[in-house]
Amino acid sequence: MASTPRARKAPDRSGRAVTLQRVADHAGVSIATASRVLHGGGGRAVGEELRGRVLAAAAELNYIPNAPAQALARARTSVVGLIVHDVGDPYFAAIATGVMKAAREHDLMVMLAATFRDPQLELEYLRRLRNQRARAVLLAGSGFADPAFVGSLAESLGRFVADGGQVACIGDHGVEADTVAPDNRGGAEAAIGHLWELGHRRIGVVAGPSGLTTVRHRLEGVRRALERRGQVLGADCTVEADFTREGGRAATLELLARRPDLTAVFALNDGMAVGALTALRDDLGRSVPDEVSLVGFDDLPCALDVRPALTTVRLPLEKTGVRAMDLILDEGADRGSRRIVELEVELVVRDSTGLARG
Amino acid sequence: MASTPRARKAPDRSGRAVTLQRVADHAGVSIATASRVLHGGGGRAVGEELRGRVLAAAAELNYIPNAPAQALARARTSVVGLIVHDVGDPYFAAIATGVMKAAREHDLMVMLAATFRDPQLELEYLRRLRNQRARAVLLAGSGFADPAFVGSLAESLGRFVADGGQVACIGDHGVEADTVAPDNRGGAEAAIGHLWELGHRRIGVVAGPSGLTTVRHRLEGVRRALERRGQVLGADCTVEADFTREGGRAATLELLARRPDLTAVFALNDGMAVGALTALRDDLGRSVPDEVSLVGFDDLPCALDVRPALTTVRLPLEKTGVRAMDLILDEGADRGSRRIVELEVELVVRDSTGLARG
DNA sequence: CTGTTAGCGCGTTCAT
DNA sequence: ATGAACGCGCTAACAG
């Protein structure tokens, strides 16, 4: 036709976008019938004859349903949101991998959001995911221990749920929601136990920001393991810094300056451990593990690349992502109480730990 | 429960979801006015009085627009799709980081899709992104050199564009689309040049699958650099394997078995380089760089953690993601010819390369 | 400046 | 088994 005033879509060859209506016309059936054969949900079946015609028409026209329109009509989308601190961090990248694999098996798309550790941004993304009417949101990464923040987080999550969305946390976010979390305390205990068995009695801890729940839990594990053996974690044996390689390096320098007599260092994640290794070996000239033993946490790929290969606590990161998706998908179970899945961790002994000297 | 026949949404306290209509009612204005103050686009301004009432009502009711509904009405969404091989790979994770940062600045959400190097899955995700009516798609990662695949890819992309979507490639996908790509050839030439200057004349190459365009381009750079210096790359000087650490290790073993006299190895990405380092040092007992020099490509974080620290070609990965988003956002420029942005790379000399012996 | 109204593409009763 | 018609929440003419 000459003028199409309201045409806003890029036109298909024959002038308009390929909609269900067009498929129906092409097949000589009603739009309802077309909808039924293409998206089946309607309950009733459709006769072989028409069914074939619709399928053929759809194929010929290369019809693709309009997800936003379906979302509007069904009041439900097929997207889940994944909120992480930083995709560039191998820890989150591994979780994301698990999530994506699970999503694909269930025909879900995942919207990724990275907060770069800014709590406000986390709230902001929650809004945007609500705006998008995401069917569910996966909150990954360590939570922030700040009560005020946890309050607003709970509120945002509450709204999301009120809108009909589902929520699952990966790790402890201080919120009443289904959660899958690795056994951080147990992992830390295992790490300390390992060092203890090797004869280490003066162990230092290179910790991340205590505002992160993950850090708290790992520290708790350290304390518990030590106390069980009649020792308390001295205040001068813990240094807190950024949860990164650079943080680990700085913290280790400070730690060893305060306590040059330490025979072992436990870094609360592998990033920090790699930094600690650099500090120990390159800055301080202390050989690992001959003079100082080192243990990390997470078992990121880099733990293997580094020399000596890092003894660390392995987290089933990818599986964590998958499990979180399972929580989301099991819609039946969300009645009743909160579900909590604790994932087992495993100490992986490699070359960065050895017998304590003397 | 009583019976709310068509209620499909989780109800708000007062019984229904918070829609624009409700906000309008609450503020005592028409829905059009509410729309105008909340989403401004309508052209005309709104009086202070009403404007204030609408804002207040929206805040009080905690209104959040329904993106699918807006998408339907406007025939345009605010989501861009990002297709990568594997988020777990630091290479793609870095690109994704750049994309996400740029997206946030422009109020766009990103849907992530990981193909795990399965071409069919790439096509499938293109369909799904078209289904979602993504405003644009970013095709990241190395393309597949298979002509048949490139054909279907071009077709899929064509449909996407016909539907009004935009496309930008990261790296060469053999397709006529706006592209941002690092200078793979130049980087490889620089790497070889560096080794040459150090006196190396017997250089082996540890390559990824030749089906990937990235690998091809890097190999071309190698050949060009060598030929410029009067040498040709011997067939026995190149081994092809998976583009991974394990691939690098295996390929290096094979390479050195064939040519024990090599004084330098160029691995076509850092993953392979790390594997090569393991093979050289641990399996073969050859010291790096004293006996064999090693160069990688990409400058992933692990290049720094490894000992000796890896000499490698740095790619501006995060910037690559940002630039690709720029192409998407510059809608004005998409008339006329194809835009190609070539990103400069930089050789970073660290400790894995040294003078050739003898 | 503000309100009315007609779609956007689709799912879903409700008749037939 | 099939079709007609309404509504999902919102934008964008168009009319006042």
Side-chain angles (χ1 to χ4, degrees), chain A residues 62 159 162 245 282 305 307, chain B residues 62 159 245 282 305 307:
Chain A
N62 219 295
R159 285 205 244 283
R245 174 174 29 201
D282 303 340
D305 296 333
R307 284 304 112 112
Chain B
N62 220 297
R159 284 206 244 283
R245 174 173 28 199
D282 303 339
D305 297 332
R307 285 303 113 118

Side-chain angles (χ1 to χ4, degrees), chain A residues 126-146:
Chain A
L126 232 25
R127 261 185 61 91
R128 278 152 84 141
L129 256 11
R130 189 150 79 98
N131 169 7
Q132 296 289 337
R133 297 303 190 265
R135 161 193 302 214
V137 57
L138 265 34
L139 219 51
S142 181
F144 302 97
D146 171 27

Side-chain angles (χ1 to χ4, degrees), chain A residues 166 178 326-337 339:
Chain A
Q166 295 189 72
D178 290 345
D326 288 347
L327 287 183
I328 292 307
L329 295 163
D330 261 15
E331 298 186 60
D334 64 354
R335 338 194 163 284
S337 64
R339 290 173 292 170

Side-chain angles (χ1 to χ4, degrees), chain A residues 123-175:
Chain A
L123 264 20
E124 166 67 17
Y125 272 123
L126 232 25
R127 261 185 61 91
R128 278 152 84 141
L129 256 11
R130 189 150 79 98
N131 169 7
Q132 296 289 337
R133 297 303 190 265
R135 161 193 302 214
V137 57
L138 265 34
L139 219 51
S142 181
F144 302 97
D146 171 27
F149 172 71
V150 172
S152 1
L153 179 62
E155 192 182 334
S156 292
L157 255 20
R159 285 205 244 283
F160 190 87
V161 170
D163 274 11
Q166 295 189 72
V167 174
C169 293
I170 294 178
D172 180 7
H173 289 251
V175 164

Side-chain angles (χ1 to χ4, degrees), chain B:
Chain B
M1 59 185 153
S3 74
T4 44
R6 306 193 60 124
R8 285 164 297 189
K9 276 233 144 141
D12 156 66
R13 279 176 197 164
S14 38
R16 283 178 2 230
V18 179
T19 72
L20 189 55
Q21 179 68 67
R22 292 234 307 156
V23 173
D25 290 351
H26 200 81
V29 301
S30 78
I31 185 177
T33 300
S35 174
R36 285 193 271 256
V37 0
L38 260 15
H39 314 300
R44 305 268 170 281
V46 174
E48 272 314 307
E49 161 75 14
L50 296 194
R51 168 173 212 77
R53 297 214 315 252
V54 170
L55 256 15
E60 186 176 338
L61 264 32
N62 220 297
Y63 170 72
I64 287 216
N66 182 315
Q70 290 180 303
L72 187 54
R74 298 206 264 236
R76 146 172 270 225
T77 66
S78 58
V79 353
V80 315
L82 172 61
I83 301 184
V84 302
H85 285 332
D86 181 3
V87 232
D89 184 332
Y91 177 94
F92 295 109
I95 291 178
T97 298
V99 170
M100 310 249 357
K101 284 185 177 170
R104 201 179 74 71
E105 290 185 0
H106 297 274
D107 287 316
L108 261 21
M109 293 295 282
V110 2
M111 272 195 188
L112 188 59
T115 66
F116 299 100
R117 297 203 140 78
D118 175 354
Q120 288 315 307
L121 210 43
E122 189 159 326
L123 264 20
E124 166 66 17
Y125 271 122
L126 231 26
R127 260 185 63 91
R128 280 153 82 142
L129 256 11
R130 190 151 78 98
N131 169 4
Q132 295 290 337
R133 297 303 189 264
R135 163 192 302 212
V137 57
L138 265 34
L139 220 51
S142 181
F144 302 96
D146 171 27
F149 172 72
V150 172
S152 2
L153 180 62
E155 192 182 333
S156 292
L157 255 20
R159 284 206 244 283
F160 189 87
V161 169
D163 273 13
Q166 295 189 72
V167 174
C169 292
I170 293 178
D172 180 6
H173 289 251
V175 164
E176 285 286 326
D178 290 346
T179 296
V180 27
D183 182 11
N184 282 313
R185 291 185 194 77
E189 288 188 69
I192 295 296
H194 170 62
L195 289 172
W196 192 272
E197 280 171 23
L198 289 171
H200 296 279
R201 295 297 178 271
R202 295 187 303 279
I203 304 173
V205 177
V206 167
S210 59
L212 299 178
T213 55
T214 299
V215 170
R216 299 205 166 186
H217 295 166
R218 292 179 185 178
L219 267 178
E220 273 179 42
V222 171
R223 291 216 173 77
R224 221 152 66 178
L226 252 23
E227 279 163 19
R228 175 175 311 161
R229 294 172 174 85
Q231 199 180 84
V232 295
L233 179 63
D236 58 347
C237 284
T238 308
V239 177
E240 189 176 308
D242 269 359
F243 222 15
T244 63
R245 174 173 28 199
E246 273 321 300
R249 181 169 171 184
T252 303
L253 257 20
E254 158 111 27
L255 184 65
L256 271 286
R258 300 211 295 229
R259 293 288 308 260
D261 61 321
L262 294 179
T263 66
V265 171
F266 179 26
L268 261 29
N269 74 13
D270 281 352
M272 295 197 93
V274 171
L277 185 56
T278 302
L280 253 17
R281 181 226 287 133
D282 303 339
D283 297 320
L284 267 19
R286 304 249 199 154
S287 133
V288 176
D290 295 337
E291 298 176 64
V292 180
S293 282
L294 178 63
V295 179
F297 209 115
D298 289 347
D299 196 29
L300 301 186
C302 69
L304 256 176
D305 297 332
V306 127
R307 285 303 113 118
L310 210 56
T311 292
T312 187
V313 178
R314 172 177 300 160
L315 256 42
L317 261 10
E318 201 175 311
K319 182 197 266 184
T320 303
V322 175
R323 283 279 183 287
M325 281 292 294
D326 288 346
L327 287 182
I328 291 306
L329 295 163
D330 262 13
E331 300 185 59
D334 65 354
R335 340 196 161 282
S337 64
R338 178 179 175 204
R339 289 173 294 171
I340 299 191
V341 179
E342 178 158 284
L343 261 25
E344 294 201 355
V345 304
E346 173 195 4
L347 180 73
V348 181
V349 178
R350 288 199 270 251
D351 310 323
S352 66
T353 46
L355 289 173
R357 296 188 116 183

